[in-house]
Amino acid sequence: EQEIVQKRTFTKWINSHLAKRKPPMVVDDLFEDMKDGVKLLALLEVLSGQKLPCEQGHRMKRIHAVANIGTALKFLEGRKSMYRGSPIKLVNINSTDIADGRPSIVLGLVWTIILYFQIEELTSNLPQLQSLSSSASSVDSIVSSETASPPSKRKVATKIQGNAKKALLKWVQYTAGKQIGIEVKDFGRSWRSGVAFHSVIHAIRPELVDLEKVKGRSNRENLEDAFTIAETQLGIPRLLDPEDVDVDKPDEKSIMTYVAQFLKHYPDVHNAGSDGLENDREDRLILKEMKVWIEQFERDLTRAQMTESNLQDKYQSFKHFRVQYEIKRKQIEHLIQPLHRDGKLSLDQALVKQSWDRVSSRLFDWHIQLDKSLPAPLGTIGAWLYRAEVALREEITIQQVHEETANTIQRKLEQHKDLLQNTDAHKRAFHEIYRTRSVNGIPVPPDQLEDMAERFHFVSSTSELHLMKMEFLELKYRLLSLLVLAESKLKSWIIKYGRRESVELLLQNYISFIENSKFFEQYEVTYQILKQTAEMYVKADGSVEEAENVMKFMNETTAQWRNLSVEVRSVRSMLEEVISNWDRYGNTVASLQAWLEDAEKMLSQSETAKKDFFRNLPHWIQQHTAMNDAGNFLIETCDEMVSRDLKQQLLLLNGRWRELFMEVKQYARADEMDRMKKEYTDCVTTLSVFTTEAHKKFSEPFDVSFINIKLLIQDLEDIEQRVPVMDAQYKMITKTAHLIANESPQEEASEMFATMSRLKEQLAKVKECYSPLLYESQQLVVPLEELEKQITSFYDLLGKINDIITVLEREAQSSALFKQKHQELLACQETCKKTLGLVEKGSQTIQKFVTLSNVLKHFDQTKLQRQIADVHVAFQNMVKKTGDWKKHVETNSRLMKKFEESRAELEKVLRVAQEGLEEKGDPEELLPKHTEFFSQLDQRVLNAFLKACDELTDILPEQEQQGLQEAVRKLHKQWKDLQGEAPYHLLHLKIAVEKKRFLASVEECKAELERETKLVPQEGSENIIKEHRIFFSDKGPHHLCEKRLQLIEELCGKLPVRDPVRETPVTCHTALKELRAAIDCTYAKLVDDPDKWKDYASRFSELSSWIAAKETQLKAFKDKAIETTNYSEVKHASDEIRNDVAKKGETLSWLKSRLKILIEVSSETEAQKQGDELAKLSSSFKALVALLSEVEKMLSNFGDCVQYKEIVKSSLEELISGSQEVQEQAEKILDTENLFEAQQLLLHHQQKMKMISAKKRDLQQQMAQTQQTEGGLAGPGREELQKLESTLASVEQGRERQERRIQVTLRKWERFETNKETVVRYLFQTGSSHERFLSFSSLESLSSELQQTKEFSKRTESIAIQAENLVKEASEIPLGPKNKQLLQQQAASIKEQVKKLEDTLEEEYVLHQS
């Protein structure tokens, strides 16, 4: 949008100046009219008042346009900026872009002209703007993306700063804005309301503007009024329209162009800056104060530098001065910027700059000195670090010549590489010093060391990027130098040319520079290297702004080279064309001069000779024309002197030609008559053929079809187009016939006129017939085309249906493609049917149209009707084919499904089996699983698959049977391979299991041997030998190893000979042999242990002594009678002996077992001796036991009676105590909190009573048995037991009565809880139902709700009776006081709730009735 506004504004501005030219010019299209450079030069002539060379003429070529534009650009570059005084720089503007009409470049060029010739010139004349300071020209700063330097921070409040744009804005602000009180911030939105334009007009002519009225109007009204006043009252051209300004972002350049025109009409520009002198005085005062500060700073710096102190204090002092230096640096650099347009400094500025440079140099020298003062090698590192910093911060000086800049950068790049290649070495040395904080034991100032560390970080982090940037800049200026060189060469080649020799020299120069030097290849290589370097630099830099700048440069360079290369490549063709015209001009001039001399002599010859000589006059006419064309081209392209010579030569030759031609032109008629007769004959033939062919189209019958009608329409349209041509030819041939007839015999003339009359009639008939036929054919072609499309669509659908059926016949019915194609088939059939209906309808329309037409009688519809019949036949065939296919598919689908299912089942079995064969893991876990799986492999799965395959093969085509059979063979082979591999696989698993078990048993035996060896010193060899024999018995692991080895041998014997698993028994035999040797060795050691009989002899002797002593004691008891007095003593002694007998029996058993063990490892003699002694000892022990039994029987007969009494008494007392305790616990049942807990306690009570009853029965049974066997007790013992039995019977009777009473009470309590639950449930149900009935939805349901309420009331009455009974029952149940009170409260609460419910139902019933 802004580009459109700029184009319109700039065009109006240019026309306002071109109108002053004589003659005036007008620019209609800015981009097009600037291409040839003519109007551009005219504009510059008007603006500058200078005459500029310009190439003009009808034969202007691009090279001349580029030359004109180059002249204009060169003129602009020669002008000086009004602010800087240096030449204007045209950034990214070149001749070829203007010649191509690139909008952005054309607008940029025009803006540069406006800025220089209007805005800068007008603003530079204002006194208050004289002190504008800028280090770059306004053209540079505005054209190059309009980026200006940041605003000044100097203490000048009203001084106008910046370039022409700022100057113009300040003028508006200080004149119009300041006086009227409006704020103008920019040349954009500040002008949208139109008030700013009115304020400018008011500042020039106050009487023209009513500002109060302006503030109350709309934007468009203000803008229109301001532009009109400026145009009519001030004579300022109307460059803008209201709609250009009343937008969100008005175009600044357009507004600046328009506003700058008001400067010419401002009445007094000298009063606008009255405070300029005051500002200058203030500036001078600031500069003087700053000079005083710098001089004092320098004195302090010198004094500090000369002070004797240690390195630490010196560096602290240096840091203090450097901080002050950095604080003032920006302010001072801003103050010493040039204020004058010529870039020169004032005297005060120069003095400040001189002092500042001196201080800067002294401070930097001091820094270097401090670094060098550090102990080696740190001083050397500091000096290197300073040089590296200088190199990294060094600015690149841009020379006027890009090649020199590139060479300078290359030299510096080599120097910097040499300098920075030692970075790593210095860095390592410095890091070691930094770590120890000293050099060879000499401490280093910490601040200086930290400063050097930061500097090292800066150097190491930026050096690589710095080198990349310098490489990029070197290549950049190399490329720019090539571009400049190409442009300079191009300017030397597109000049006004001289003679042929000079043009040849230019061509040779072009070939030498472009082709021989391979300039284009050189540029392309440089560009590609630059492109790669730029990408690396941008990636390393990471700055978005730098990346945009680099990409902008690359894009602009690419665009510039694209246009420039086209221009350079076109130079050769231009030079060759100039040389070619020189050759043609020289040849034609020489031959024409010679012929003119001969022709002038021939004028004095006879008529016959002249007629014969001048017969080839047309050839020389062509030569004369060629000479003039070449001469005119050379006049336009050559310089002024050559052009003048060519013009004089052509003038002389054309004069001689003109005089001669007037004398001999009649001799050129001889050939002319022959030509006219031939032309007449050709035209008559052409007209005859045309009319004959046209009549054939009007009458000959032909078949009705779209192609035929289309061709007929083309023929008729061709006839329509040719009729005017034929008319023109007829008229022309008529004139030719009259000319020929005038010079021909009468008979020949009559024949010619008869032929012309006949052709005229035929042409008239053609004109009469073609138009109606063309019209009706055009009417017919539309339905025919539609019919043709429908028929084509119909056959396409048939073809698609056939293709789909073909695909479906090959595709499996279960596949996604089959389903998709089947859906497509159904859709195509439906579409085909619809298309057939459209075809029939279209054919009927066409037949009706042809039948009713009078013009189309010769149209034959037979072919069309036959075509429609073919369509019907094709449709019927399609219907039949699809029906047959569907039947076939239904048959195949069943067989295919059966085949796929059986194959899937077989593949699943094979896959699982293969996975089992390949499965790795614990063989003991794998064996049962695999055995079960392979034992269940069913041949029926394979048979079912083969049967399904046979059935499917019968219906498949031959080409598909092979693939099916191949799949079957593959699966069958897999099945056979599986059956062959499965047994061996199971054998391998069994062998692995047995081997694992074998090795486990071997390890178990080895572990036992190790254990026995370790335990021999601790437990003795006897136990170990016993354990050894048990462990290594026939059923032990050792023999189990032999059985497993035998099983492994049997299993391996079933394997193939080459199976490596067959070697398993060999390793197992070796392991078993080693185990046997270890067992034998261990057993031999155990047998040879000497300490075997020691413990045995000790125990034998001890047992023998004990038997003898006890035998004597028991014989004494037997011989003496047992009485009550000695019963306890005898009983005690016999009990002790009995206890000892058990222990001594164990000792005897141990001796026997020990003897058995020792016998096995002892001699036969010793074994026999020890065996006899032990047998004798065993007999003595048995005799002792028999004697003890006799004594015990005696004691038992005597003590049973006494003992029975105590036992029975104790048992009866225990039963009585238990019964009383249970009876007390039963009383607590009625004090529980709820019925369930009471019932549980009752059950617990009953169980305890059952246990007491069982004990009683046992005691009674024991007493009865004792009385039967021993005769019972007599005397006081019997009476005491009967008394205890009587007490027990009375306790049991009381307990039974208590239990019956508790059971009755609990039944009453249970009945109370049941009745309570019934009432509570009714209350809950009644409450929810009652709420539901109250929310009736309509009056109609009111009666039913009344009835329900009445029923509730009746039921509630019965529930109320139950509630009364609950209260009564609660008072009658004999519970504990606490429970009885709780039941009464619950009954009373329920009764109260029932009462409330009765009252509520009664109230609602009454309410509903009312």
Side-chain angles (χ1 to χ4, degrees), residues 1294-1308:
R1295 180 189 56 74
E1296 290 175 357
R1297 288 194 299 272
Q1298 182 190 37
E1299 183 176 355
R1300 286 195 295 271
R1301 177 173 55 82
I1302 291 173
Q1303 288 178 348
V1304 171
T1305 302
L1306 290 182
R1307 281 197 292 272
K1308 290 182 180 180

Side-chain angles (χ1 to χ4, degrees), residues 1189-1309:
S1189 297
E1190 292 176 0
V1191 173
E1192 286 178 342
K1193 188 173 182 182
M1194 292 169 58
L1195 290 172
S1196 176
N1197 291 334
F1198 180 81
D1200 281 346
C1201 293
V1202 178
Q1203 206 171 21
Y1204 173 74
K1205 173 189 173 185
E1206 297 297 329
I1207 292 172
V1208 172
K1209 180 180 178 181
S1210 175
S1211 298
L1212 287 174
E1213 289 177 351
E1214 182 181 353
L1215 287 175
I1216 292 170
S1217 175
S1219 298
Q1220 291 175 348
E1221 182 181 353
V1222 169
Q1223 191 172 0
E1224 291 175 359
Q1225 291 179 354
E1227 290 298 328
K1228 298 179 181 179
I1229 293 175
L1230 299 179
D1231 292 332
T1232 55
E1233 295 181 357
N1234 53 63
L1235 176 63
F1236 176 76
E1237 186 176 353
Q1239 290 174 342
Q1240 293 297 319
L1241 289 175
L1242 178 62
L1243 291 175
H1244 184 64
H1245 169 73
Q1246 291 174 347
Q1247 290 176 355
K1248 285 186 176 181
M1249 293 310 301
K1250 287 180 180 179
M1251 293 172 60
I1252 291 173
S1253 299
K1255 288 181 179 180
K1256 180 182 177 184
R1257 285 194 299 272
D1258 292 341
L1259 180 59
Q1260 291 174 348
Q1261 186 177 3
Q1262 184 179 3
M1263 290 172 65
Q1265 291 176 355
T1266 303
Q1267 289 177 358
Q1268 291 176 1
T1269 56
E1270 300 296 333
L1273 291 176
R1278 179 63 182 166
E1279 293 176 357
E1280 186 177 0
L1281 290 179
Q1282 288 177 350
K1283 185 177 180 180
L1284 289 174
E1285 288 178 355
S1286 174
T1287 303
L1288 178 62
S1290 64
V1291 170
E1292 285 184 349
Q1293 291 176 0
R1295 180 189 56 74
E1296 290 175 357
R1297 288 194 299 272
Q1298 182 190 37
E1299 183 176 355
R1300 286 195 295 271
R1301 177 173 55 82
I1302 291 173
Q1303 288 178 348
V1304 171
T1305 302
L1306 290 182
R1307 281 197 292 272
K1308 290 182 180 180
W1309 193 0

Side-chain angles (χ1 to χ4, degrees), residues 125 173 184 413 457 511 520 585 596 717 721 765 768 910 1186 1336 1396:
N125 292 328
Q173 292 172 342
V184 181
L413 178 61
H457 177 70
I511 294 173
F520 286 104
Y585 178 76
L596 284 174
E717 288 175 347
Q721 293 175 358
K765 188 174 181 181
E768 179 183 357
L910 292 174
F1336 59 87
K1396 289 181 180 180

Side-chain angles (χ1 to χ4, degrees), residues 164 206 241 429 452 554 741-742 779 851 1174 1288 1290 1410:
D241 294 322
M452 291 185 73
M554 297 299 294
N742 291 336
Q779 296 295 318
T851 303
L1174 184 60
L1288 178 62
S1290 64
S1410 60

Side-chain angles (χ1 to χ4, degrees), residues 222-281:
N222 283 337
L223 292 169
E224 179 64 33
D225 188 40
F227 298 157
T228 304
I229 293 173
E231 185 176 20
T232 57
Q233 300 297 327
L234 301 179
I236 294 175
R238 185 187 179 111
L239 304 183
L240 296 172
D241 294 322
E243 55 270 19
D244 296 339
V245 184
D246 189 18
V247 292
D248 290 336
K249 290 184 66 177
D251 181 59
E252 289 191 352
K253 295 179 181 178
S254 299
I255 294 177
M256 286 177 65
T257 303
Y258 182 67
V259 172
Q261 298 179 111
F262 287 91
L263 284 170
K264 299 178 183 178
H265 303 273
Y266 193 63
D268 185 6
V269 297
H270 298 283
N271 296 329
S274 58
D275 57 349
L277 294 176
E278 181 181 350
N279 292 333
D280 289 341
R281 285 194 297 271

